[in-house]
Amino acid sequence: MNTQNVYILEDRGILYINGADAKEFLQNLISNDINKVNDVNSCFASLLTPQGKFLFAFIIIKHKSGYLIDCEKSQTEALFKQLSVYKLRSKVEIMNLSNEFVIAALNKERFLEFEGSKDIPGNTIKYREDSILLDPRNTNLGARLIINLEKLYLTLKKLELKDSPIDEYYQFSHDLGIAQKSMNKLQNKLFGIECNFEELNGIDFKKGCYIGQENTARIKLKNKLSRRLLAINLISGKLIEGAPIYTNDIEIGKVLIDDKYPFALIKYLDNNFNEDDELKSKNAILKIKKTNWIR
């Protein structure tokens, strides 16, 4: 990403969770430790099923007396409803602020030019009362500005940032092997830990209980992680969601996201899998990209 470029992520939504029980409420639900989130640090986290399967992924930012939840906009209503199910008698207010706030992504080096910024995942600073944070998943994704829509373009002008095509940002994310689009296609189809959330700083194995914690911890402690969500590079043909992926007629994975930035669940430790090989799926020839931040 160029230091002058900014990507207005209009496809991201914002929920706001506030109230006397907001911190405890989130702590009992999410895969990460809410105690990591404060005025100078934000975190990446997920909401799982009781069995540890993936449901939602989001970034949490401290905002006034509560927390902003940065999630895929197409999933804001579903996430709102899911959180409301767990609300019960908790003193918590959940609001959808997607029509008021917008998220803009900018280059990591540009972020590090701000006073007080640090090259630490999740590092959060204020610019004219608006939060700017270095992406807590992977700092190579750059930084995110969370700002009121009415202030956006004046702020971008003051920062001398140029509005750039959003596809550049998501292609960069796909090249890094980090899924951000069409995440609803992953729901209930794989474990959260198989989404690489440990490497993306989204799981805390030292915190107390949360929904899905038991199976997540068991997979980790018993070293049973044999499948991972990995980016697909399509060579020819057309991908089909749910289609098996083969190497030499041996099934080693399945297409989960078949859109513009595709991903598959791959048995990456299988002796038959070689990341340099061309693989076959129904109507498609493809390669799997295993990035260097995945062990």
Side-chain angles (χ1 to χ4, degrees):
M1 289 188 284
N2 187 289
T3 54
Q4 272 70 52
N5 290 356
V6 65
Y7 306 95
I8 301 171
L9 306 183
E10 296 178 344
D11 57 340
R12 300 294 293 183
I14 290 285
L15 297 180
Y16 182 53
I17 299 180
N18 193 24
D21 296 336
K23 187 173 185 178
E24 181 182 7
F25 173 73
L26 286 170
Q27 183 72 336
N28 291 332
L29 297 179
I30 65 172
S31 61
N32 214 331
D33 188 348
I34 194 63
N35 292 304
K36 296 175 182 176
V37 181
N38 51 47
D39 290 336
V40 296
N41 194 72
S42 303
C43 84
F44 175 61
S46 61
L47 185 63
L48 309 175
T49 69
Q51 294 75 34
K53 295 292 186 74
F54 169 81
L55 281 180
F56 301 97
F58 39 81
I59 294 172
I60 305 177
I61 307 100
K62 190 76 176 74
H63 181 71
K64 298 181 179 178
S65 60
Y67 302 90
L68 293 175
I69 307 294
D70 164 7
C71 59
E72 196 170 3
K73 197 168 191 176
S74 61
Q75 293 294 292
T76 49
E77 282 303 319
L79 178 55
F80 180 94
K81 291 178 181 178
Q82 189 70 38
L83 291 171
S84 298
V85 167
Y86 293 120
K87 182 179 175 182
L88 300 176
R89 297 180 180 178
S90 298
K91 296 178 181 177
V92 169
E93 182 181 22
I94 307 171
M95 295 180 283
N96 188 344
L97 301 184
S98 300
N99 292 328
E100 298 179 31
F101 285 86
V102 67
I103 295 164
L106 53 140
N107 178 273
K108 173 182 174 178
E109 284 67 32
R110 184 68 179 86
F111 170 79
L112 294 175
E113 293 176 3
F114 287 98
E115 183 178 355
S117 63
K118 298 178 182 179
D119 190 0
I120 300 172
N123 177 233
T124 305
I125 61 172
K126 292 289 186 182
Y127 177 79
R128 296 176 178 265
E129 300 183 349
D130 298 306
S131 294
I132 307 181
L133 57 134
L134 196 55
D135 201 299
R137 295 167 291 188
N138 186 310
T139 60
N140 290 321
L141 277 174
R144 301 168 86 81
L145 167 65
I146 319 264
I147 188 169
N148 190 285
L149 184 59
E150 295 178 354
K151 298 163 57 178
L152 173 65
Y153 289 100
L154 178 59
T155 297
L156 297 185
K157 184 176 181 180
K158 288 181 178 179
L159 293 175
E160 298 181 345
L161 292 171
K162 181 179 66 174
D163 186 5
S164 302
I166 193 173
D167 283 346
E168 290 182 8
Y169 172 79
Y170 284 116
Q171 184 60 57
F172 183 73
S173 180
H174 186 262
D175 291 342
L176 278 175
I178 300 173
Q180 297 195 60
K181 299 283 287 181
S182 302
M183 297 290 280
N184 62 301
K185 295 190 175 187
L186 304 180
Q187 289 180 329
N188 286 295
K189 294 181 180 177
L190 72 171
F191 291 101
I193 194 171
E194 292 176 331
C195 296
N196 310 311
F197 287 164
E198 180 181 5
E199 289 78 8
L200 294 174
N201 307 309
I203 300 176
D204 191 307
F205 289 98
K206 296 180 180 179
K207 68 168 284 188
C209 294
Y210 59 89
I211 295 174
Q213 182 264 347
E214 186 175 351
N215 278 344
T216 303
R218 183 182 293 115
I219 293 171
K220 168 70 173 176
L221 295 174
K222 293 190 175 182
N223 198 26
K224 290 189 174 183
L225 181 59
S226 61
R227 307 184 304 173
R228 284 190 181 275
L229 185 69
L230 300 175
I232 295 173
N233 285 333
L234 181 62
I235 297 173
S236 63
K238 180 178 175 59
L239 294 170
I240 298 175
E241 181 183 350
I245 296 172
Y246 298 94
T247 176
N248 298 321
D249 296 323
I250 298 172
E251 184 176 338
I252 51 89
K254 180 180 293 186
V255 177
L256 294 187
I257 298 177
D258 59 342
D259 294 340
K260 190 172 184 178
Y261 309 102
F263 281 81
L265 184 62
I266 297 293
K267 299 174 183 177
Y268 78 112
L269 295 179
D270 193 303
N271 291 331
N272 296 295
F273 173 61
N274 185 333
E275 61 186 285
D276 296 322
D277 288 347
E278 289 189 0
L279 308 176
K280 294 182 179 180
S281 184
K282 186 176 182 180
N283 302 329
I285 303 295
L286 57 97
K287 291 186 73 171
I288 296 296
K289 184 171 184 178
K290 183 172 176 289
T291 50
N292 57 13
W293 53 266
I294 294 178
R295 294 191 289 272

